[in-house]
Amino acid sequence: MNTTPRARVLTGDTPTGRLHLGHWVGSVEKRVEMQGEYDCYFLLANMHAYTTRFDKTEEIRRDTIEIVKDWLAAGIDPDKATIVLQTEVPAIAELTWYFAMLLTFNDVMGNPTLVHELKTKNLADSYSFGFPMYTVGQCADILAFRPTFVPVGEDQEPHIEMCRKAARKFNQIYCGVSDRTPDDGYAKAGGVFPIPRALIGRVARLPGVGDGTQKMSKSLNNAIYLSDSPKDVQKKINKITTGRQSPTEPGDTGNILFKFVEAFIPDAARTAELKDRYARGDNIGDGHVKQELAAAINDLLEPMRARRAEFEKPGGDDHIIDIIRQGTRRANLVAEETLYMAKQAMKMDFGRRTLG
Ligand code: ATP
Ligand code: MG
């Protein structure tokens, strides 16, 4: 029997709304692929939802449950992967403090994704102190599970880089690991934290519907949700604008419409044919492409809608809460062990605790 422990995977989503197609191509699809082979932890970052919506308690609770429904609908299997609720894993909050000491103010405030979010989420000067803190919190979310891989969309790369920096620094300062150690050698050299690697999804950054300048995002009102009806999918796809005037105008197959075609029309030969005709302006309108595209997306979403319907029956929410509780219990075993290892390294080992 092979007793080598399986490599761990950690990733997650903030419950600021339902899951959309960007999540699917950026991360969720990979999770479904990896859950059979790796020891997977999928985190509900509900604490982070409070950074921008601290007064929307009812909505955050609802979104937390709805995101799990989306996960299960998308094919995540709670018997294979562990579903984790951030606010019930105290080790994460504690580790956040320690990592906050290891990262500089400029590491956090200069994080390009954070800078971009402050602009695009209309937070101006009124954002909470806790908002930038979420980036440090995310280091703890990840490192609490000492994962090898973190499957995420491209916007998360700066966060993963910060996390890697915090892990290297911790290992160097508290575990005596040399700063010349290659990233894959930290654990062997006695570090508490392996240096995790981002795995960017099949589509690194899916644009939102509209002119395609922003990424598809729950907070930007430009998303096609996994739970949208076939009609809504078509309506939203119709919102894509390319600026092309007529079916006979040679089109740019690098435009936003074709980013969607490449992402969602599964038949490569059909995609090539559409591209060829569009590029030549061979009597093919944007409207036609949008219809084929919406049909392909609906084919992808149909089985998800069917699975989701099961959890929308009476008692569905209780079932979901049960899955969250069971997963979080398993997750706490790992996170508590990590925290104790970290505390030992930091000379804070005044006694090991057990949770509730
Ligand atoms: P919010 O607007 O609240 O930040 P979001 O839509 O950006 O929400 P997150 O919960 O921040 O969603 O992201 C969850 C995961 O999905 C991350 O790995 C992120 O990189 C990935 N992701 C989100 N949007 C996209 C996108 N448009 N394309 C590819 N991946 C994405
Ligand atoms: Mg985001």
Side-chain angles (χ1 to χ4, degrees):
M1 201 175 91
N2 182 1
T3 51
T4 322
R6 291 181 304 164
R8 283 204 198 116
V9 170
L10 177 291
T11 188
D13 304 301
T14 320
T16 43
R18 292 185 176 195
L19 289 195
H20 53 66
L21 290 175
H23 295 120
W24 172 253
V25 292
S27 173
V28 176
E29 186 181 40
K30 254 273 177 15
R31 299 179 205 175
V32 174
E33 271 167 41
M34 294 182 93
Q35 64 181 350
E37 216 178 310
Y38 295 86
D39 187 16
C40 289
Y41 295 81
F42 301 140
L43 182 96
L44 295 156
N46 61 330
M47 173 109 65
H48 294 186
Y50 284 80
T51 59
T52 51
R53 302 197 308 162
F54 49 83
D55 52 343
K56 305 275 189 320
T57 52
E58 198 54 57
E59 279 179 28
I60 296 173
R61 184 184 171 80
R62 181 97 305 270
D63 287 342
T64 302
I65 292 170
E66 292 303 323
I67 280 207
V68 178
K69 289 185 187 171
D70 280 336
W71 284 356
L72 302 182
I76 288 175
D77 177 351
D79 290 331
K80 292 184 180 156
T82 301
I83 289 175
V84 190
L85 185 69
Q86 190 181 46
T87 48
E88 291 306 318
V89 182
I92 292 176
E94 291 173 60
L95 287 167
T96 301
W97 265 98
Y98 305 138
F99 294 129
M101 256 71 85
L102 298 182
L103 295 161
T104 66
F105 186 80
N106 290 338
D107 284 336
V108 175
M109 298 315 292
N111 174 316
T113 294
L114 182 79
V115 170
H116 184 73
E117 283 180 317
L118 288 174
K119 268 198 215 124
T120 56
K121 291 185 178 173
N122 290 326
L123 296 170
D125 289 332
S126 62
Y127 59 87
S128 64
F129 186 74
F131 185 72
M133 258 308 266
Y134 97 79
T135 59
V136 184
Q138 191 173 320
C139 299
D141 295 334
I142 297 171
L143 294 175
F145 295 90
R146 286 170 283 134
T148 308
F149 299 116
V150 189
V152 283
E154 185 183 60
D155 62 303
Q156 295 293 311
E157 257 181 336
H159 294 345
I160 309 301
E161 217 32 74
M162 247 176 76
C163 168
R164 289 156 57 82
K165 184 170 184 179
R168 286 189 204 103
K169 240 176 145 177
F170 187 102
N171 292 330
Q172 289 165 15
I173 294 170
Y174 300 118
C175 313
V177 180
S178 153
D179 60 5
R180 288 187 302 278
T181 308
D183 279 345
D184 59 3
Y186 270 82
K188 246 184 282 146
V192 168
F193 299 105
I195 314 301
R197 273 179 37 208
L199 291 181
I200 304 297
R202 176 165 66 88
V203 179
R205 177 190 179 277
L206 186 72
V209 294
D211 63 6
T213 50
Q214 300 288 359
K215 82 169 185 101
M216 187 175 283
S217 163
K218 288 180 248 127
S219 311
L220 299 176
N221 204 14
N222 64 5
I224 297 177
Y225 294 98
L226 301 187
S227 50
D228 274 346
S229 70
K231 238 180 155 168
D232 282 343
V233 169
Q234 182 72 64
K235 258 203 247 159
K236 289 183 181 179
I237 287 295
N238 290 346
K239 287 191 190 160
I240 294 175
T241 54
T242 65
R244 184 166 173 259
Q245 302 295 335
S246 89
T248 49
E249 181 184 319
D252 170 14
T253 56
N255 70 14
I256 173 187
L257 183 57
F258 274 83
K259 291 218 165 73
F260 275 85
V261 167
E262 298 229 344
F264 298 107
I265 293 194
D267 179 350
R270 182 61 189 151
T271 302
E273 194 183 336
L274 285 173
K275 271 178 140 174
D276 176 56
R277 286 187 56 197
Y278 194 86
R280 288 187 291 109
D282 179 16
N283 199 24
I284 181 161
D286 279 24
H288 175 88
V289 179
K290 286 177 185 177
Q291 248 174 24
E292 272 195 46
L293 177 60
I297 292 173
N298 280 322
D299 285 347
L300 168 73
L301 299 186
E302 200 41 49
M304 298 188 196
R305 291 188 191 110
R307 277 195 291 267
R308 198 174 213 289
E310 287 302 304
F311 297 104
E312 274 160 4
K313 290 181 181 160
D317 283 9
D318 291 341
H319 184 178
I320 298 293
I321 290 169
D322 219 45
I323 289 173
I324 294 174
R325 286 211 180 111
Q326 283 180 30
T328 304
R329 208 172 296 136
R330 282 207 299 274
N332 265 319
L333 296 176
V334 179
E336 283 293 301
E337 191 190 5
T338 305
L339 180 67
Y340 193 66
M341 288 161 73
K343 281 181 161 177
Q344 277 182 309
M346 297 175 84
K347 312 270 183 262
M348 283 187 205
D349 48 333
F350 291 104
R352 194 159 186 175
R353 71 183 183 199
T354 44
L355 284 184

